[in-house]
Amino acid sequence: MKNKIITLLNEKIPFLSQEDISSMIEIPPKPEMGDFAFPCFRLAKELHKAPPMIAADIANEIGELDFIDHIDVKGAYLNFYLRKDAFVKSMVEASAAENFGSSEEGTGKTICIDYSSPNVAKNFHVGHLRTTIIGNSLYKIYSKLGYKVERINHLGDWGTQFGKLIVAYKNWGDEATVKEKGVEELMRLYVAFHKAADENPELNDEARAWFVKMEQGDEEALAIWKWFVDISLTEYKRTYQLLGLDFDHFTGESFYRNMTGDIVQKLTDANLLTESEGAKIVDLEAYNMAPCLILKNDGSSIYATRDLAAIFYRKNTYNFVKALYVTGQEQKLHFAQVFKVVELLGNEWAKDQLVHIPYGLVSLDGAKLSTRDGNVIYAEDILLEAISKIKETINEKNPDLEDKDEVARIVGVGAVIFNDLYNQRIKDVSFRWEKLLNFDGETGPYVQYTYARCSSILRKAYESSDSSAFSAIDLANIDYSVLTDEASVDLLKEIIRFPEVVKDASEKYEPSIVARFAVDVAQAFNKFYTVNRINIDDEAVKNARLALVKITRKTLRDALDLLGIGVVEQM
Ligand code: ARG
């Protein structure tokens, strides 16, 4: 409809481009003011006339048209009132398409997303929950736009800390306890090392020596290290499974350990390396940044060196058009430095292809959480607690529900994810169980409940619980004049935004735009449902309204999927 109006206006004002006209068209804040508005201020100069006169002239010239009910001239504005049934028809047709919301902008292009990336032998805590959830949603959003996405888990699995762990394990650990307690025991050993090293600093030299052995490929050192990595990964994968997500590559820092020499060579050849107190750095003073450390004074590589290696590896292997890094804001400087070094090596693409995507902190003050030991909070425990709380609600309100456990998982986990993604990612996230598990309000359960309500309406109407029996949308038999009431039009106007919402979310790296859209659609649907009865005798009305229920159901499902949240047919 907008395109039709653009074409129409373009005939009358040929000196403006279609894009110009498109960007000038506004959606009036209230439906009483029309469906689209076009301001004529910018035309005054070219046409040597006052804007209100221009508006009146254009309206006259347009005359009568089959898809426009009437045009109102208000000052310098042309307000278009569309023929409701034609408008409704175009919205229903567009949104009923199976691929509604997708596009082909990304066809043939690859995006790397580096996210989650917990540190081996440390617990998977709430901060890593955020990068995991945000990264997964970005993966879904970019896939929807046709991109090939490489999901990369850059595990923190290399560095001197593993030398310390080996020393601690040899002194105070034993195989059985590590096997039994996993990461919890590895964390205990790590703490024990630091305590002991305070008294006995030679332990630090021992630890460094073990890490040097690891870097040199010593079998014993690598076997212990590998064991710690496997133990940690098994635990992280439990959390990923609860969340229902996966990665294409578990290539941690260790994966790049033999590629750092190349980086040092590149930097040396480009004359970028300078010595500073025995270490090798890239001076970034000209860019108002602290120097980027490349090699420590003992010659070993660091986090940044391995990130540099990873960037070149990924560019060569995947030929990405963009590489995104989802981490907390405290790594802002790190990525700015690393990206700058890549650029200084003669790679202009670094400027717009390498993007750091920071997010805010998690505050738990509102939530009482049972912790495993004192104050370490595991993401897994939060998810399990959400699931068990939802299970309680189900047992109370709908004890006979089928697949209770799976429903509780999808709703509980969905609630945590939704709570994370509903606000702009840079804002802090707070955990308040009463709020995030509420079935009313701006929550995951509310949107999922609205989806289940759509399913329930359809089950009744079609007297079938087989959703494939009622998913197909038959456009041939819809009387669109039945859907011209305010609540139906408002619902369609929300739904029709979906493609723009997905695009906007991708450009801003902001899943919250999709989360808010899902709530808007759910609210508009619930209004529609309060004023419009659906299971009625009048076949034409019933049929048209059922089509709208199907479109809503499909759109809610797809929007939730972009957030990494599933749906349930009954709850
Ligand atoms: N392991 C790091 C951490 O937990 C995050 C790694 C992010 N990715 C990267 N390529 N540096 O803080």
Side-chain angles (χ1 to χ4, degrees):
M1 281 296 185
K2 186 175 172 186
N3 284 337
K4 278 192 174 179
I5 290 179
I6 293 172
T7 316
L8 193 63
L9 285 169
N10 204 193
E11 281 167 20
K12 315 294 169 211
I13 33 179
F15 55 89
L16 286 185
S17 70
Q18 301 235 347
E19 291 78 55
D20 281 336
I21 296 175
S22 173
S23 68
M24 287 163 74
I25 290 180
E26 297 169 14
I27 308 250
K30 289 192 198 126
E32 307 88 83
M33 301 164 75
D35 299 300
F36 292 106
F38 183 75
C40 294
F41 304 107
R42 271 180 61 185
L43 312 180
K45 220 171 157 194
E46 182 91 15
L47 297 173
H48 309 290
K49 266 196 276 184
M53 270 178 70
I54 301 174
D57 287 352
I58 297 180
N60 269 336
E61 278 176 47
I62 290 176
E64 285 189 18
L65 282 168
D66 61 348
F67 70 100
I68 293 178
D69 186 76
H70 66 284
I71 302 175
D72 245 10
V73 179
K74 278 248 161 64
Y77 276 88
L78 286 161
N79 291 336
F80 293 87
Y81 293 76
L82 303 176
R83 271 203 46 186
K84 285 253 151 50
D85 54 349
F87 187 33
V88 162
K89 179 170 189 276
S90 76
M91 291 196 288
V92 168
E93 281 173 353
S95 56
E98 198 39 57
N99 62 355
F100 178 57
S102 334
S103 85
E104 293 180 357
E105 77 162 66
T107 310
K109 297 182 190 145
T110 298
I111 291 195
C112 289
I113 312 186
D114 174 317
Y115 60 109
S116 196
S117 312
N119 296 319
V120 161
K122 296 247 169 74
N123 74 321
F124 192 110
H125 59 73
V126 289
H128 286 119
L129 192 56
R130 290 215 68 192
T131 150
T132 310
I133 288 171
I134 295 167
N136 184 56
S137 176
L138 293 175
Y139 149 67
K140 299 264 186 169
I141 289 169
Y142 279 100
S143 303
K144 186 100 179 149
L145 296 175
Y147 291 90
K148 179 169 192 326
V149 179
E150 301 288 348
R151 297 167 296 175
I152 306 175
N153 197 321
H154 191 80
L155 294 166
D157 63 357
W158 204 248
T160 16
Q161 69 270 31
F162 293 98
K164 296 178 185 173
L165 264 179
I166 295 177
V167 172
Y169 173 67
K170 286 187 164 279
N171 284 310
W172 311 289
D174 66 89
E175 193 176 334
T177 317
V178 173
K179 273 200 176 133
E180 190 202 319
K181 296 201 165 155
V183 166
E184 204 180 317
E185 171 69 0
L186 296 180
M187 294 215 295
R188 188 195 68 83
L189 288 172
Y190 195 70
V191 172
F193 176 90
H194 279 277
K195 261 203 195 126
D198 280 347
E199 315 258 289
N200 184 0
E202 290 100 78
L203 284 171
N204 284 312
D205 300 326
E206 247 181 77
R208 259 191 293 274
W210 273 106
F211 181 57
V212 171
K213 279 192 186 182
M214 278 170 59
E215 292 224 288
Q216 291 167 345
D218 176 84
E219 254 175 54
E220 187 195 357
L222 286 180
I224 305 179
W225 162 79
K226 178 85 186 12
W227 183 43
F228 292 165
V229 173
D230 290 344
I231 286 173
S232 310
L233 254 183
T234 311
E235 291 195 23
Y236 305 154
K237 283 185 176 169
R238 274 204 320 256
T239 301
Y240 295 142
Q241 203 168 359
L242 276 177
L243 288 164
L245 54 84
D246 206 354
F247 294 85
D248 300 302
H249 314 282
F250 283 93
T251 38
E253 291 183 44
S254 69
F255 182 79
Y256 307 96
R257 63 184 188 260
N258 297 324
M259 303 177 204
T260 53
D262 227 41
I263 296 299
V264 174
Q265 192 58 50
K266 272 197 173 90
L267 291 169
T268 313
D269 294 347
N271 254 329
L272 286 168
L273 271 194
T274 44
E275 240 308 315
S276 165
E277 296 166 30
K280 295 249 193 317
I281 60 161
V282 176
D283 186 359
L284 296 174
E285 215 189 317
Y287 312 97
N288 288 319
M289 278 186 264
C292 184
L293 181 59
I294 303 290
L295 291 178
K296 290 196 282 198
N297 51 15
D298 65 4
S300 57
S301 66
I302 67 151
Y303 185 51
T305 331
R306 295 187 282 276
D307 255 331
L308 286 167
I311 289 172
F312 289 104
Y313 173 83
R314 290 171 192 172
K315 189 70 185 168
N316 290 333
T317 312
Y318 309 119
N319 193 22
F320 58 73
V321 294
K322 258 190 188 156
L324 315 181
Y325 294 81
V326 188
T327 80
Q329 329 183 38
E330 68 284 352
Q331 298 199 36
K332 197 171 167 213
L333 175 63
H334 163 76
F335 285 109
Q337 291 170 317
V338 167
F339 297 168
K340 186 50 104 181
V341 172
V342 176
E343 187 193 325
L344 291 177
L345 280 167
N347 304 292
E348 275 295 301
W349 48 264
K351 278 193 197 157
D352 49 76
Q353 294 189 357
L354 302 174
V355 187
H356 178 221
I357 300 179
Y359 54 81
L361 302 170
V362 181
S363 81
L364 291 156
D365 37 82
K368 284 198 195 71
L369 278 165
S370 43
T371 59
R372 292 185 197 181
D373 55 356
N375 42 32
V376 206
I377 290 158
Y378 289 68
E380 188 181 19
D381 293 346
I382 289 194
L383 296 172
L384 290 175
E385 189 139 344
I387 295 169
S388 99
K389 283 177 189 289
I390 291 288
K391 185 89 181 282
E392 274 169 38
T393 311
I394 296 176
N395 281 334
E396 216 174 275
K397 301 204 166 143
N398 193 1
D400 301 326
L401 182 71
E402 270 176 53
D403 293 332
K404 270 196 268 190
D405 287 324
E406 185 58 2
V407 172
R409 186 190 70 80
I410 293 175
V411 178
V413 168
V416 172
I417 297 179
F418 201 91
N419 181 61
D420 195 304
L421 296 179
Y422 187 68
N423 291 306
Q424 280 174 21
R425 65 180 146 72
I426 206 68
K427 302 240 167 84
D428 294 351
V429 164
S430 73
F431 264 88
R432 283 178 206 288
W433 289 126
E434 322 82 66
K435 196 180 123 221
L436 77 98
L437 297 177
N438 202 326
F439 285 70
D440 279 318
E442 283 115 25
T443 65
Y446 169 69
V447 179
Q448 285 172 320
Y449 182 73
T450 307
Y451 171 89
R453 175 178 256 183
C454 291
S455 296
S456 142
I457 294 167
L458 294 169
R459 273 196 304 275
K460 274 192 205 119
Y462 289 82
E463 291 169 8
S464 164
S465 58
D466 173 10
S467 62
S468 61
F470 55 65
S471 297
I473 303 166
D474 179 14
L475 293 178
N477 292 314
I478 296 180
D479 173 0
Y480 292 101
S481 66
V482 164
L483 298 176
T484 52
D485 64 288
E486 198 183 333
S488 306
V489 173
D490 285 352
L491 171 57
L492 279 165
K493 279 185 170 179
E494 287 301 343
I495 291 176
I496 201 71
R497 289 168 40 225
F498 193 35
E500 268 172 52
V501 161
V502 180
K503 186 149 174 43
D504 197 25
S506 77
E507 282 165 3
K508 300 190 173 114
Y509 313 111
E510 196 57 85
S512 63
I513 295 172
V514 178
R516 278 165 195 260
F517 167 77
V519 167
D520 290 342
V521 171
Q523 285 174 346
F525 176 80
N526 287 319
K527 265 195 205 133
F528 160 84
Y529 184 62
T530 336
V531 296
N532 288 322
R533 296 204 19 240
I534 293 169
N535 265 323
I536 50 176
D537 290 336
D538 185 327
E539 279 296 322
V541 177
K542 176 174 166 178
N543 195 34
R545 288 184 182 157
L546 282 175
L548 209 42
V549 176
K550 291 177 190 179
I551 290 173
T552 305
R553 175 173 174 271
K554 177 174 78 81
T555 307
L556 288 177
R557 179 200 64 200
D558 292 352
L560 285 173
D561 181 63
L562 291 182
L563 303 173
I565 299 175
V567 290
V568 294
E569 298 302 319
Q570 301 190 47
M571 64 198 265

